[in-house]
Amino acid sequence: MKIAFGCDHGGFVLKAEIIDYLKKNGHEIIDFGIDENKSVDYPDYGVPVAECVSAGEADFGIIACGTGIGISIAANKVPGIRCALLSDTFSAHATREHNDANMMALGGRTIGPGLAVDIVATFLNTSFSGDARHQRRIDKITAIEKKYSK
């Protein structure tokens, strides 16, 4: 799979372990940074990842900031993105199976690298169920997005 990755300084602590895991498991990485631990603005890194996923240039996106909140809010402004803020493997499984999430956000100050890798593995190894009830709900989300996108 092709995975886009981006983080700010708050998510930088997770970057090396996540990218190492992805590469060891045969994934191609599109790295949007950051490359050094310096203060930056999370929209500048989350949105390019979301645009890459929305354009079909990557299969999934992984983003991180201090809590994962700000960067996920920014990513979810990009049409076609369903980015879930994750802090446990159950939610990682559920958001793929039920919501067909195409991006995930993590908090570098709220979870450690080991748990982050477990969450990434669960997310990437879970497929969308395709159940009619879940697709119906995703279609409603898409309709909301279209209504408010100008």
Side-chain angles (χ1 to χ4, degrees):
M1 275 184 252
K2 194 179 285 190
I3 312 294
F5 182 91
C7 66
D8 75 354
H9 54 285
F12 187 75
V13 296
L14 302 179
K15 181 178 180 177
E17 295 227 19
I18 291 171
I19 288 182
D20 184 53
Y21 166 80
L22 294 170
K23 287 181 178 178
K24 284 181 179 175
N25 285 276
H27 300 291
E28 181 182 340
I29 311 305
I30 304 170
D31 187 353
F32 287 91
I34 59 177
D35 296 322
E36 60 181 315
N37 195 358
K38 65 176 184 163
S39 182
V40 296
D41 299 330
Y42 55 78
D44 297 339
Y45 297 87
V47 170
V49 172
E51 290 171 338
C52 180
V53 172
S54 180
E57 297 165 3
D59 299 301
F60 293 103
I62 301 170
I63 51 178
C65 68
T67 62
I69 297 168
I71 203 164
S72 65
I73 291 170
N76 276 315
K77 299 298 181 188
V78 175
I81 294 303
R82 289 180 304 283
C83 182
L85 171 57
L86 300 173
S87 59
D88 61 87
T89 56
F90 177 82
S91 296
H93 180 86
T95 199
R96 284 289 305 127
E97 189 174 75
H98 297 188
N99 310 122
D100 198 17
N102 51 13
M103 285 186 62
M104 62 180 293
L106 300 166
R109 295 181 182 138
T110 61
I111 62 171
L115 178 56
V117 168
D118 288 347
I119 293 167
V120 167
T122 301
F123 183 89
L124 294 178
N125 291 308
T126 303
S127 298
F128 176 53
S129 71
D131 289 351
R133 65 189 169 118
H134 298 309
Q135 187 60 57
R136 181 179 68 247
R137 294 166 186 158
I138 293 168
D139 292 344
K140 288 181 178 189
I141 291 169
T142 301
I144 294 165
E145 181 180 82
K146 288 179 182 175
K147 177 180 178 181
Y148 290 100
S149 294
K150 307 272 186 250

